[in-house]
Amino acid sequence: MKILAVSLLRLGDIIQQVPLLKGLREKNPQAEIHLLLNRQFANVERILEGVVDKYIFFDREALQKGMGEASYNILWSYTQVENLVQGLNQEAYDTAINLTHNKLSAYLIGALNIADKRGLYQEDGRFKGLSNRWIRYFNDRFSGNQKSLFHYVELLGNAFDIPVGPASALISQGSGTATRRSKLVLLQCLTSDKKKNWGLEKFFQLKRTIEISLVDYEVLVLGASFERDSLLKVFSEKDLLICDLFEARKHLQNAALLVTGDTSIKHMAAQAGTPIVEIAIGSSDPTKTAAYSTQSVVLKTAAPCAPCNHSQDCSQSSHICADDVTVEQVFGAVWDQLSGEKIAERNLHHQMERAVWSLFLDKNNSAVEPFYGGAAANLLEKVSINSLRENSAVWNAKTSLYRSWLAKATAALPAREVLATHRTFQSSDIAEMILCAQDILKSKMDDAGYFQAFVEALLSRFSQPVQIYDRVHAALQEVEELLTIRENFTHHLQTLSTEGAYYAKGIGQLPISGFEEAGKSVQRNLEDAEL
C-alpha cells in the first residue's frame, strides 16, 4: 500500500503534523508513506526520520517567480506542475491525504489519478472531500477567525481516523514518574509574525527573574542564525543558543522547560515531552494551534481584538495584547511548571461544549454513535462534582437561551412554498431572521458556534429566493440536533454526578468492615414493605 500525504503549509504546520504522520504510520505499519511539502522546508527531513519513507518537494517559490517574472517563459510554471503530476501518478498511490486544505492542494490532488482521496480536492469544477462532520467542522472553522473547540491535530485525527493524542512528559528509564532531565530553561523569544512577539525586554526581565528566584536553573535563549542580530540588541552572546532545527530538538529533549510564543519550536518541544509555557498574543489562537501536549500552560491575552488575522497589521496604537501579559504572570506559570504543581483544570464550560460537539460530530460516522453516559463519565474524570454543580445554573440558562433563539429563528423562516413563488429576493422576506441573527451576534453568548451556520446562511448570496430556505433550514436543523444532544448529555451528567455524590457521602466513606453490617440492614422485611 502506498500513501501520499500532502502538506503545503509553513514549517510550524509541518512540525505540528508529526503526530498525525506518526499515527498514520502506526495504523499502516506496512505501508509506504510519501510526503509532499514545499522545497524550502526540506530540512524537516531530519526530524521525521522513521516516519516518512520518501519526500517529494513542491518548488512553490520558483513556480511563483515563473508566473510573475518576465525572464521566464509564460508556460514554464505550467510545465513544472505538469511534470510533478505525472511523476506522482507514476508512483501509483492507493490513498492521498490532504493535510493542507487550501485551494492549491485541492487542485493538485484533484489532478492525481488516485482512487482514495481524503480531505479537500477539486473535481469537475467543484470542491469535494468533505465526507464527514469532523472534516467539515475543520474546513468551516480554520479558514479565518472562526472559533474552534478543538485543536488542529485533534480535528484532522478524527477526520481521517488517525490515532493521535496530546504528548505527555517523557518517562525516565526504570521509573514510573516523569523526571526533569536538566536544570535548563529555554526561552524562544521571536516568532514569524511580530504581532505574536511578547517583546525582547520582557523576556530579558523574565530571564533575570528566573535566575534570581531559582538560582540552580540556567536560562538560555534559543534562536536561529538569522535571529542572532535581533537577539543581541538585548541579550549577550553567552546568553544565546543559536542552532538549526535538528540541534534545537536535542536541546529541547534535555530542557526542563520552554517559554515561547507561537512558533514551530513549541510543537517540537511538545513532541519531545518538554514542559511548556506558551504566550498566546496577536494572531495566536491556542485552542486551534497551541502545543498539543498535556504539559503545556497557555497564557492568553484578554485584549478584545485578539486573536487578529495573520495577514493584517496590528490595528491598535500600541501592542496592547503583549502588554496585557505581564512578566509576573509568566514567571508564575514558570514556577508552577518547574515546581511540579498540578496544572489548573481548564474552563469547565469549554470542556462541556467540547463533549457536546464531539457527540454531534461523531454522529456522522455510523461506527461511532453518541454514548452520552460514556461522555459524561469521561468529563467527570477531569472535573469535580462541586465545580459541576456551581456551574450548572449558567450552563442550563444558556441552553434555555439557545432554545429561545432557535424558536424565534424557526418562526421567522418563511415557508418554502411561499419563497418558491417569488421571482426575486426581497430583504423583507428574512427581516425577522436578520434581527434574530443580530441579537445572537450582539449577545456574544454563542461562543461555541451553535448558530454560526445560521448567521453565515443569511450572509450568503442566492440566485433564487427558495435557496435561502434550504440553507437556513439546514442550519436550524443542525442547531436542533446540537441542542438535543446538549440536553441528553446534561441529563446523563446530572445522573452520574448525583450517583457520585451519594457514593462520596455514603458507601464511599464506609470502612471495609462496614459492608457486613450494611448487608444485614438491607435484608427485605415483608412486614415493612408497605408504601
Side-chain angles (χ1 to χ4, degrees):
M1 182 180 183
K2 293 181 74 172
I3 300 173
L4 174 66
V6 177
S7 180
L8 299 179
L9 294 173
R10 294 160 295 189
L11 179 61
D13 299 289
I14 298 170
I15 296 175
Q16 188 175 203
Q17 291 162 0
V18 170
L20 291 163
L21 294 169
K22 287 183 175 179
L24 188 63
R25 166 63 66 202
E26 178 185 329
K27 187 175 181 180
N28 304 278
Q30 305 303 320
E32 188 176 337
I33 299 175
H34 296 184
L35 178 63
L36 177 67
L37 68 160
N38 290 316
R39 182 172 294 280
Q40 64 264 40
F41 303 132
N43 58 342
V44 81
E45 288 184 52
R46 298 181 69 188
I47 62 174
L48 284 173
E49 292 175 337
V51 180
V52 175
D53 298 298
K54 181 178 178 179
Y55 296 88
I56 303 168
F57 299 110
F58 184 85
D59 204 340
R60 183 169 185 165
E61 291 184 349
L63 290 172
Q64 287 175 327
K65 284 184 178 179
M67 291 185 289
E69 295 185 8
S71 58
Y72 285 82
N73 183 291
I74 193 171
L75 295 178
W76 183 85
S77 293
Y78 173 81
T79 302
Q80 298 304 306
V81 174
E82 185 179 43
N83 292 338
L84 174 64
V85 169
Q86 288 177 354
L88 291 172
N89 281 333
Q90 288 175 2
E91 294 284 353
Y93 293 109
D94 299 285
T95 301
I97 298 177
N98 188 356
L99 299 174
T100 304
H101 261 247
N102 60 14
K103 289 183 178 180
L104 173 62
S105 62
Y107 280 111
L108 185 60
I109 292 178
L112 300 178
N113 297 326
I114 301 175
D116 182 16
K117 298 176 181 178
R118 303 181 187 179
L120 192 68
Y121 65 94
Q122 192 272 346
E123 184 177 275
D124 299 328
R126 300 182 65 183
F127 289 107
K128 298 182 179 181
L130 305 178
S131 54
N132 62 60
R133 288 183 177 182
W134 284 101
I135 199 70
R136 289 198 294 272
Y137 185 97
F138 173 80
N139 197 63
D140 291 342
R141 304 299 174 101
F142 274 75
S143 59
N145 275 3
Q146 296 91 338
K147 292 183 178 180
S148 171
L149 292 166
F150 302 95
H151 193 275
Y152 173 90
V153 175
E154 185 180 15
L155 274 173
L156 288 183
N158 281 294
F160 298 132
D161 194 23
I162 298 174
V164 291
S168 57
L170 295 182
I171 305 299
S172 62
Q173 291 289 338
S175 171
T177 58
T179 60
R180 299 287 189 263
R181 291 143 290 184
S182 74
K183 293 288 187 178
L184 173 64
V185 175
L186 295 175
L187 308 181
Q188 173 68 38
C189 303
L190 298 175
T191 74
S192 59
D193 181 353
K194 64 181 182 180
K195 300 194 304 296
K196 298 190 289 187
N197 288 340
W198 187 44
L200 293 179
E201 288 291 344
K202 292 189 180 71
F203 271 109
F204 180 79
Q205 294 175 35
L206 177 66
K207 182 178 185 296
R208 292 294 306 275
T209 304
I210 295 173
E211 291 171 336
I212 292 171
S213 305
L214 303 165
V215 294
D216 53 339
Y217 280 89
E218 180 185 16
V219 184
L220 293 177
V221 178
L222 200 61
S225 57
F226 66 87
E227 296 173 329
R228 183 193 295 272
D229 291 343
S230 296
L231 293 171
L232 285 175
K233 293 178 181 178
V234 173
F235 300 97
S236 65
E237 186 70 46
K238 66 180 178 62
D239 295 329
L240 304 186
L241 198 56
I242 303 298
C243 55
D244 62 19
L245 275 179
F246 189 71
E247 293 168 337
R249 185 173 69 165
K250 291 182 177 179
H251 293 307
L252 291 167
Q253 289 171 340
N254 186 53
L257 180 69
L258 170 71
V259 184
T260 180
D262 185 7
T263 69
S264 57
I265 294 298
K266 72 179 182 183
H267 301 304
M268 292 179 63
Q271 292 152 28
T274 306
I276 302 165
V277 172
E278 179 179 343
I279 303 168
I281 57 178
S283 57
S284 299
D285 189 338
T287 303
K288 294 180 178 180
T289 56
Y292 197 49
S293 169
T294 61
Q295 301 298 307
S296 176
V297 171
V298 180
L299 299 176
K300 297 189 294 184
T301 174
C305 53
C308 54
N309 287 322
H310 286 280
S311 57
Q312 72 180 33
D313 293 330
C314 180
S315 60
Q316 306 297 326
S317 58
S318 64
H319 201 190
I320 61 173
C321 59
D323 297 337
D324 187 51
V325 180
T326 66
V327 173
E328 291 75 16
Q329 286 177 295
V330 179
F331 176 70
V334 169
W335 179 280
D336 289 346
Q337 287 283 55
L338 294 177
S339 64
E341 294 288 337
K342 183 180 179 182
I343 299 174
E345 69 178 34
R346 297 185 67 182
N347 179 272
L348 175 60
H349 286 273
H350 179 83
Q351 294 277 14
M352 294 171 74
E353 293 289 14
R354 277 173 50 88
V356 170
W357 273 93
S358 293
L359 289 166
F360 171 77
L361 296 172
D362 278 338
K363 277 193 72 176
N364 192 65
N365 186 345
S366 59
V368 189
E369 288 298 326
F371 296 101
Y372 298 105
N378 288 337
L379 180 66
L380 286 173
E381 290 178 0
K382 303 173 185 177
V383 301
S384 67
I385 294 175
N386 287 338
S387 177
L388 189 67
R389 287 179 170 177
E390 290 170 2
N391 287 272
S392 62
V394 175
W395 174 262
N396 292 333
K398 186 174 281 190
T399 302
S400 298
L401 177 63
Y402 290 170
R403 274 290 175 195
S404 67
W405 284 343
L406 177 59
K408 184 177 179 181
T410 302
L413 178 62
R416 195 177 195 278
E417 294 77 8
V418 173
L419 290 175
T421 63
H422 293 192
R423 292 185 178 180
T424 59
F425 173 73
Q426 301 292 331
S427 58
S428 59
D429 292 333
I430 59 169
E432 288 296 323
M433 285 193 296
I434 292 174
L435 291 174
C436 182
Q438 289 176 341
D439 289 341
I440 294 170
L441 293 174
K442 288 178 181 178
S443 73
K444 297 183 179 180
M445 294 290 287
D446 186 26
D447 45 3
Y450 285 68
F451 290 85
Q452 178 177 308
F454 166 68
V455 173
E456 290 177 350
L458 296 176
L459 297 174
S460 303
R461 292 184 177 181
F462 303 95
S463 58
Q464 297 177 1
V466 73
Q467 291 177 328
I468 196 169
Y469 175 89
D470 296 334
R471 182 82 181 270
V472 171
H473 183 257
L476 294 179
Q477 281 187 316
E478 179 179 292
V479 177
E480 172 61 43
E481 188 175 352
L482 273 165
L483 291 182
T484 300
I485 290 173
R486 182 185 177 102
E487 289 158 354
N488 287 334
F489 173 69
T490 302
H491 171 73
H492 282 78
L493 200 57
Q494 290 172 340
T495 301
L496 285 180
S497 62
T498 301
E499 291 173 353
Y502 284 144
Y503 178 84
K505 293 180 180 179
I507 296 176
Q509 296 180 356
L510 281 175
I512 296 297
S513 59
F515 280 100
E516 296 178 1
E517 296 179 11
K520 296 176 183 177
S521 67
V522 296
Q523 298 299 315
R524 292 183 66 191
N525 185 335
L526 297 179
E527 294 181 0
D528 297 331
E530 296 179 0
L531 290 176

